[in-house]
Every structure is written in C-alpha cells, then in structure tokens.
Amino acid sequence: MKKFKDLTFDQAPHSVPGHRQGKLDLGNGLTLSVVYGAGTYSDVAEDGTPETYEVALFYGNDFVPLSTSDEVIGWRTESEVEELIYQAQTDEYFVKKLINDKAEYTAELYG
C-alpha cells in the first residue's frame, strides 16, 4: 500500500519556479497528484518547507472531484493527504461516492 512518504517532489513541468509536484500511482487507474509552492492552494514556511498541500485525484486522464465545488482540494496537511491515499486504495466505492456527490451538488445548484 502506498503512503505519503512514497511521494517524490520535483519541479512541476510547465510551472513557475518553486512549484513542486509529487505523483502516486494508486492502482486501479487512479493517480494522486500533490503539489505545493507558488501558484497552488498550499502554505510554505519561510525556509521552503511545505506546511499544507493541494491535492488532485485522476482516473486515467480525468479529474475525480475531491469536493462538490472543485476537482482539487487545497491546504491539506500531510496526515489529511495520507488519509485520502488510504481511502482511495481501500474503499472500492470511494471514487463513485465523490463523483455522485459532485453530480448531486451540480444538479441541486443548477436545477
């Protein structure tokens, strides 16, 4: 089972300097993207150490909505990212629930 510690952060392609990205293949077509730095929904200490992260989940090339109002979630601690990694790998209904939650929210919003 993959964990947060398995992420390796590198300069994100096609991004501003200081924008770091790590990806994890979680199996079953799921890939987790975790970013921090300039232009992201994250916090970085003065010494450059990430304090929170922006997270996205993909099924193939498609976003899996991590909230009802957006595909990504920001300002997540390491332990919150760890929990998301665990859920994505152990709960077979996790992705379906996220997609259904977004669809219900959208239907409610736009009637």
Side-chain angles (χ1 to χ4, degrees), residues 61-83:
N61 292 322
D62 298 321
F63 274 105
V64 174
L66 292 177
S67 80
T68 56
S69 59
D70 203 347
E71 280 75 22
V72 303
I73 50 177
W75 300 284
R76 297 300 189 234
T77 64
E78 182 176 326
S79 62
E80 289 171 320
V81 176
E82 185 77 49
E83 178 61 26

Side-chain angles (χ1 to χ4, degrees), residues 25-84:
D25 179 350
L26 300 177
N28 295 324
L30 294 174
T31 302
L32 187 79
S33 171
V34 180
V35 297
Y36 69 90
T40 68
Y41 301 133
S42 68
D43 294 310
V44 179
E46 286 184 25
D47 67 358
T49 303
E51 296 175 339
T52 62
Y53 303 87
E54 178 183 315
V55 184
L57 184 64
F58 296 90
Y59 181 72
N61 292 322
D62 298 321
F63 274 105
V64 174
L66 292 177
S67 80
T68 56
S69 59
D70 203 347
E71 280 75 22
V72 303
I73 50 177
W75 300 284
R76 297 300 189 234
T77 64
E78 182 176 326
S79 62
E80 289 171 320
V81 176
E82 185 77 49
E83 178 61 26
L84 180 63

